Amino acid sequence: MHIKSANFIISNTDVAKCPNEVLPEYAFIGRSNVGKSSLINMLTERKSLAKTSGRPGKTQLINHFKINENWFLVDLPGYGYARVSKKSKKTFQKYITDYFAKREQLVCAFVLVDIRHEPQKIDMEFMEWLGENSVPFCIIFTKADKLKPQAIERNVTTYLKELEKGVWEEAPAYFITSSSKNLGRDELLAYIEGINIEFFKALQN
Ligand code: GTP
Ligand code: MG
């Protein structure tokens, strides 16, 4: 898919104030600093469409970006950011949970995990929560440039094995990406394009 346009539309903390157009929407979620905003920039080939930082906690709001005038990418704050109270650390900030529970246009949540790390409890729990709330999701491994091919394979295998212990009927789709090396871009965009086609077909019927 060719990205002809990518525009920032609105930031907010209230799912009710998100754009009300009925367009397919994809949200990026995961631990702080995992590379959500960087991936949005990589996919759209815009250097600073989404704000990135080496320090965790950069993205604080629900940010909508309209792509090719007919679908949305959503950049969200990360979870697991240490500088919040224990309680809000455990339960997500309400507006993020609200977003996932109520956003009807959301066709797929991309759960980002750093490919260098062992499966983390917070990610597993979040994926379980998505499953329980019937939110379709995929896994995106980030920062693949930081590992050699063998280590990538080993870590992905470990991760998928851990997921098998979960409650899902079928394993979620996954993508291996690097925003600094443009890895995984074509595959992800092709995946999105496929879902978009289905979305608009279903809308016509
Ligand atoms: P929050 O908004 O704080 O939740 O973080 P985020 O998940 O949006 O992460 P962000 O995109 O801001 O990136 C965090 C840091 O990781 C930045 O220093 C990025 O340059 C770096 N980074 C992101 N993606 C990659 C990648 O694919 N490879 C490498 N080497 N670094 C990356
Ligand atoms: Mg961010």
Side-chain angles (χ1 to χ4, degrees):
M1 173 171 23
H2 179 60
I3 305 294
K4 294 179 286 256
S5 64
N7 299 305
F8 168 72
I9 304 297
I10 194 170
S11 290
N12 65 75
T13 57
D14 183 355
V15 64
K17 291 183 187 149
C18 290
N20 55 18
E21 287 162 281
V22 182
L23 295 175
E25 181 163 313
Y26 303 82
F28 293 73
I29 184 74
R31 289 164 74 87
S32 284
N33 217 43
V34 69
K36 301 175 292 295
S37 304
S38 302
L39 189 65
I40 287 177
N41 292 337
M42 184 270 255
L43 287 176
T44 55
E45 290 180 308
R46 308 299 195 267
K47 269 205 180 95
S48 44
L49 182 66
K51 293 195 183 91
T52 66
S53 167
R55 283 169 56 198
K58 180 68 180 175
T59 309
Q60 296 280 340
L61 302 164
I62 304 170
N63 300 289
H64 274 78
F65 301 98
K66 200 175 189 182
I67 315 299
N68 291 352
E69 296 297 325
N70 76 344
W71 53 284
F72 284 111
L73 282 178
V74 178
D75 195 15
L76 293 167
Y79 49 77
Y81 179 44
R83 260 162 58 185
V84 289
S85 73
K86 244 188 181 168
K87 192 167 176 242
S88 53
K89 217 163 125 185
K90 222 172 173 187
T91 46
F92 276 21
Q93 283 172 21
K94 192 175 177 319
Y95 67 85
I96 303 181
T97 342
D98 255 20
Y99 169 81
F100 282 103
K102 295 183 184 159
R103 187 68 175 160
E104 286 177 12
Q105 294 92 325
L106 181 70
V107 289
C108 183
F110 290 120
V111 180
L112 276 63
V113 296
D114 190 320
I115 198 157
R116 294 170 295 176
H117 301 155
E118 297 262 299
Q120 310 270 313
K121 200 170 164 216
I122 192 167
D123 296 319
M124 294 294 164
E125 284 177 354
F126 184 63
M127 287 187 255
E128 259 168 52
W129 184 86
L130 288 175
E132 283 161 13
N133 287 274
S134 306
V135 180
F137 69 92
C138 294
I139 297 175
I140 296 188
F141 295 102
T142 65
K143 309 194 183 184
D145 56 286
K146 301 255 193 189
L147 291 181
K148 297 205 169 81
Q150 259 189 345
I152 289 178
E153 209 184 304
R154 192 178 58 230
N155 288 6
V156 170
T157 306
T158 306
Y159 211 94
L160 297 179
K161 273 210 180 114
E162 186 63 32
L163 279 174
E164 278 173 16
K165 296 178 193 164
V167 290
W168 299 289
E169 278 165 31
E170 52 182 320
Y174 68 90
F175 300 88
I176 297 167
T177 69
S178 161
S179 294
S180 49
K181 294 261 154 49
N182 254 355
L183 186 76
R185 183 173 184 271
D186 293 348
E187 291 83 352
L188 252 174
L189 288 177
Y191 184 79
I192 289 172
E193 190 168 28
I195 296 181
N196 285 351
I197 290 168
E198 290 303 314
F199 182 94
F200 290 113
K201 244 195 231 162
L203 213 58
Q204 279 177 345
N205 296 329

PDB file of all heavy atoms in Angstrom, residues 23 32 45 64 79 88 111 124-125 148 167 182 198-199 202 204:
ATOM      1  N   LEU A  23     -14.518   4.720   9.900  1.00  0.00           N
ATOM      2  CA  LEU A  23     -13.365   4.262   9.111  1.00  0.00           C
ATOM      3  C   LEU A  23     -12.617   3.226   9.938  1.00  0.00           C
ATOM      4  O   LEU A  23     -12.602   3.306  11.163  1.00  0.00           O
ATOM      5  CB  LEU A  23     -12.436   5.445   8.808  1.00  0.00           C
ATOM      6  CG  LEU A  23     -12.990   6.552   7.917  1.00  0.00           C
ATOM      7  CD1 LEU A  23     -11.997   7.703   7.800  1.00  0.00           C
ATOM      8  CD2 LEU A  23     -13.347   6.019   6.531  1.00  0.00           C
ATOM      9  N   SER A  32       5.648   1.358  27.778  1.00  0.00           N
ATOM     10  CA  SER A  32       6.302   2.623  27.450  1.00  0.00           C
ATOM     11  C   SER A  32       7.671   2.339  26.848  1.00  0.00           C
ATOM     12  O   SER A  32       8.366   1.427  27.302  1.00  0.00           O
ATOM     13  CB  SER A  32       6.488   3.471  28.705  1.00  0.00           C
ATOM     14  OG  SER A  32       5.265   4.040  29.060  1.00  0.00           O
ATOM     15  N   GLU A  45       6.143   6.722   6.787  1.00  0.00           N
ATOM     16  CA  GLU A  45       7.324   7.386   6.213  1.00  0.00           C
ATOM     17  C   GLU A  45       7.345   8.884   6.525  1.00  0.00           C
ATOM     18  O   GLU A  45       7.717   9.695   5.691  1.00  0.00           O
ATOM     19  CB  GLU A  45       7.393   7.159   4.701  1.00  0.00           C
ATOM     20  CG  GLU A  45       7.724   5.722   4.331  1.00  0.00           C
ATOM     21  CD  GLU A  45       7.783   5.492   2.829  1.00  0.00           C
ATOM     22  OE1 GLU A  45       6.805   5.862   2.146  1.00  0.00           O
ATOM     23  OE2 GLU A  45       8.795   4.973   2.356  1.00  0.00           O
ATOM     24  N   HIS A  64      -5.093  10.496  17.112  1.00  0.00           N
ATOM     25  CA  HIS A  64      -5.603   9.953  15.845  1.00  0.00           C
ATOM     26  C   HIS A  64      -4.864  10.540  14.637  1.00  0.00           C
ATOM     27  O   HIS A  64      -4.757  11.746  14.505  1.00  0.00           O
ATOM     28  CB  HIS A  64      -7.096  10.263  15.698  1.00  0.00           C
ATOM     29  CG  HIS A  64      -7.952   9.234  16.352  1.00  0.00           C
ATOM     30  ND1 HIS A  64      -8.150   9.198  17.710  1.00  0.00           N
ATOM     31  CD2 HIS A  64      -8.637   8.179  15.826  1.00  0.00           C
ATOM     32  CE1 HIS A  64      -8.942   8.164  17.994  1.00  0.00           C
ATOM     33  NE2 HIS A  64      -9.249   7.533  16.884  1.00  0.00           N
ATOM     34  N   TYR A  79       1.885   1.440  28.697  1.00  0.00           N
ATOM     35  CA  TYR A  79       1.606   1.008  30.058  1.00  0.00           C
ATOM     36  C   TYR A  79       2.905   0.551  30.721  1.00  0.00           C
ATOM     37  O   TYR A  79       3.926   0.390  30.064  1.00  0.00           O
ATOM     38  CB  TYR A  79       0.529  -0.064  30.113  1.00  0.00           C
ATOM     39  CG  TYR A  79       0.665  -1.257  29.189  1.00  0.00           C
ATOM     40  CD1 TYR A  79       1.562  -2.286  29.455  1.00  0.00           C
ATOM     41  CD2 TYR A  79      -0.143  -1.376  28.073  1.00  0.00           C
ATOM     42  CE1 TYR A  79       1.649  -3.402  28.634  1.00  0.00           C
ATOM     43  CE2 TYR A  79      -0.065  -2.482  27.239  1.00  0.00           C
ATOM     44  CZ  TYR A  79       0.843  -3.487  27.518  1.00  0.00           C
ATOM     45  OH  TYR A  79       0.927  -4.571  26.699  1.00  0.00           O
ATOM     46  N   SER A  88      -2.866   2.864  39.755  1.00  0.00           N
ATOM     47  CA  SER A  88      -3.080   3.141  38.331  1.00  0.00           C
ATOM     48  C   SER A  88      -2.124   2.317  37.472  1.00  0.00           C
ATOM     49  O   SER A  88      -2.338   2.114  36.288  1.00  0.00           O
ATOM     50  CB  SER A  88      -2.955   4.631  38.027  1.00  0.00           C
ATOM     51  OG  SER A  88      -1.748   5.125  38.509  1.00  0.00           O
ATOM     52  N   VAL A 111      -0.368  -5.072  19.560  1.00  0.00           N
ATOM     53  CA  VAL A 111       0.314  -5.096  20.855  1.00  0.00           C
ATOM     54  C   VAL A 111       1.810  -5.229  20.589  1.00  0.00           C
ATOM     55  O   VAL A 111       2.270  -6.232  20.047  1.00  0.00           O
ATOM     56  CB  VAL A 111      -0.188  -6.263  21.734  1.00  0.00           C
ATOM     57  CG1 VAL A 111       0.545  -6.271  23.078  1.00  0.00           C
ATOM     58  CG2 VAL A 111      -1.692  -6.171  21.944  1.00  0.00           C
ATOM     59  N   MET A 124       1.047 -10.086  28.729  1.00  0.00           N
ATOM     60  CA  MET A 124       0.179 -11.270  28.698  1.00  0.00           C
ATOM     61  C   MET A 124      -1.203 -10.937  29.260  1.00  0.00           C
ATOM     62  O   MET A 124      -2.225 -11.318  28.701  1.00  0.00           O
ATOM     63  CB  MET A 124       0.805 -12.403  29.532  1.00  0.00           C
ATOM     64  CG  MET A 124       2.090 -12.937  28.945  1.00  0.00           C
ATOM     65  SD  MET A 124       1.741 -13.740  27.367  1.00  0.00           S
ATOM     66  CE  MET A 124       3.372 -13.816  26.686  1.00  0.00           C
ATOM     67  N   GLU A 125      -1.192 -10.222  30.379  1.00  0.00           N
ATOM     68  CA  GLU A 125      -2.469  -9.864  31.009  1.00  0.00           C
ATOM     69  C   GLU A 125      -3.280  -8.944  30.108  1.00  0.00           C
ATOM     70  O   GLU A 125      -4.495  -9.068  30.015  1.00  0.00           O
ATOM     71  CB  GLU A 125      -2.221  -9.177  32.368  1.00  0.00           C
ATOM     72  CG  GLU A 125      -1.827 -10.180  33.432  1.00  0.00           C
ATOM     73  CD  GLU A 125      -1.494  -9.543  34.773  1.00  0.00           C
ATOM     74  OE1 GLU A 125      -1.449  -8.289  34.872  1.00  0.00           O
ATOM     75  OE2 GLU A 125      -1.248 -10.307  35.713  1.00  0.00           O
ATOM     76  N   LYS A 148      20.585 -10.506  16.519  1.00  0.00           N
ATOM     77  CA  LYS A 148      20.985 -11.286  15.352  1.00  0.00           C
ATOM     78  C   LYS A 148      19.843 -12.232  14.973  1.00  0.00           C
ATOM     79  O   LYS A 148      19.033 -12.592  15.836  1.00  0.00           O
ATOM     80  CB  LYS A 148      22.236 -12.100  15.689  1.00  0.00           C
ATOM     81  CG  LYS A 148      23.448 -11.237  16.015  1.00  0.00           C
ATOM     82  CD  LYS A 148      24.738 -12.016  15.738  1.00  0.00           C
ATOM     83  CE  LYS A 148      25.946 -11.109  15.793  1.00  0.00           C
ATOM     84  NZ  LYS A 148      26.401 -10.861  17.193  1.00  0.00           N
ATOM     85  N   VAL A 167      -5.419 -18.652  26.634  1.00  0.00           N
ATOM     86  CA  VAL A 167      -6.764 -19.194  26.470  1.00  0.00           C
ATOM     87  C   VAL A 167      -7.293 -19.061  25.025  1.00  0.00           C
ATOM     88  O   VAL A 167      -8.446 -19.315  24.770  1.00  0.00           O
ATOM     89  CB  VAL A 167      -7.747 -18.464  27.423  1.00  0.00           C
ATOM     90  CG1 VAL A 167      -7.455 -18.858  28.850  1.00  0.00           C
ATOM     91  CG2 VAL A 167      -7.641 -16.951  27.258  1.00  0.00           C
ATOM     92  N   ASN A 182      13.365  -0.174   8.870  1.00  0.00           N
ATOM     93  CA  ASN A 182      12.197  -0.323   7.996  1.00  0.00           C
ATOM     94  C   ASN A 182      11.736  -1.763   7.824  1.00  0.00           C
ATOM     95  O   ASN A 182      11.061  -2.087   6.850  1.00  0.00           O
ATOM     96  CB  ASN A 182      12.500   0.243   6.609  1.00  0.00           C
ATOM     97  CG  ASN A 182      11.808   1.565   6.389  1.00  0.00           C
ATOM     98  OD1 ASN A 182      11.032   2.003   7.233  1.00  0.00           O
ATOM     99  ND2 ASN A 182      12.084   2.192   5.270  1.00  0.00           N
ATOM    100  N   GLU A 198     -11.930  -5.751   3.669  1.00  0.00           N
ATOM    101  CA  GLU A 198     -13.037  -6.481   4.322  1.00  0.00           C
ATOM    102  C   GLU A 198     -13.995  -5.508   5.003  1.00  0.00           C
ATOM    103  O   GLU A 198     -15.210  -5.674   4.959  1.00  0.00           O
ATOM    104  CB  GLU A 198     -12.480  -7.454   5.377  1.00  0.00           C
ATOM    105  CG  GLU A 198     -11.735  -8.644   4.804  1.00  0.00           C
ATOM    106  CD  GLU A 198     -12.591  -9.449   3.841  1.00  0.00           C
ATOM    107  OE1 GLU A 198     -13.752  -9.719   4.175  1.00  0.00           O
ATOM    108  OE2 GLU A 198     -12.091  -9.778   2.735  1.00  0.00           O
ATOM    109  N   PHE A 199     -13.418  -4.513   5.671  1.00  0.00           N
ATOM    110  CA  PHE A 199     -14.217  -3.529   6.405  1.00  0.00           C
ATOM    111  C   PHE A 199     -15.192  -2.811   5.467  1.00  0.00           C
ATOM    112  O   PHE A 199     -16.383  -2.697   5.752  1.00  0.00           O
ATOM    113  CB  PHE A 199     -13.283  -2.514   7.083  1.00  0.00           C
ATOM    114  CG  PHE A 199     -13.974  -1.471   7.906  1.00  0.00           C
ATOM    115  CD1 PHE A 199     -14.147  -1.651   9.277  1.00  0.00           C
ATOM    116  CD2 PHE A 199     -14.459  -0.297   7.330  1.00  0.00           C
ATOM    117  CE1 PHE A 199     -14.783  -0.696  10.048  1.00  0.00           C
ATOM    118  CE2 PHE A 199     -15.099   0.665   8.097  1.00  0.00           C
ATOM    119  CZ  PHE A 199     -15.261   0.472   9.446  1.00  0.00           C
ATOM    120  N   ALA A 202     -17.924  -5.129   4.104  1.00  0.00           N
ATOM    121  CA  ALA A 202     -18.970  -5.398   5.109  1.00  0.00           C
ATOM    122  C   ALA A 202     -19.899  -4.187   5.280  1.00  0.00           C
ATOM    123  O   ALA A 202     -21.090  -4.332   5.516  1.00  0.00           O
ATOM    124  CB  ALA A 202     -18.328  -5.761   6.439  1.00  0.00           C
ATOM    125  N   GLN A 204     -20.800  -2.145   2.966  1.00  0.00           N
ATOM    126  CA  GLN A 204     -21.707  -2.038   1.819  1.00  0.00           C
ATOM    127  C   GLN A 204     -22.892  -2.990   1.947  1.00  0.00           C
ATOM    128  O   GLN A 204     -23.955  -2.728   1.393  1.00  0.00           O
ATOM    129  CB  GLN A 204     -20.959  -2.329   0.530  1.00  0.00           C
ATOM    130  CG  GLN A 204     -20.168  -1.129   0.033  1.00  0.00           C
ATOM    131  CD  GLN A 204     -19.371  -1.435  -1.214  1.00  0.00           C
ATOM    132  OE1 GLN A 204     -19.175  -2.586  -1.575  1.00  0.00           O
ATOM    133  NE2 GLN A 204     -18.897  -0.392  -1.870  1.00  0.00           N
TER     134      GLN A 204
END
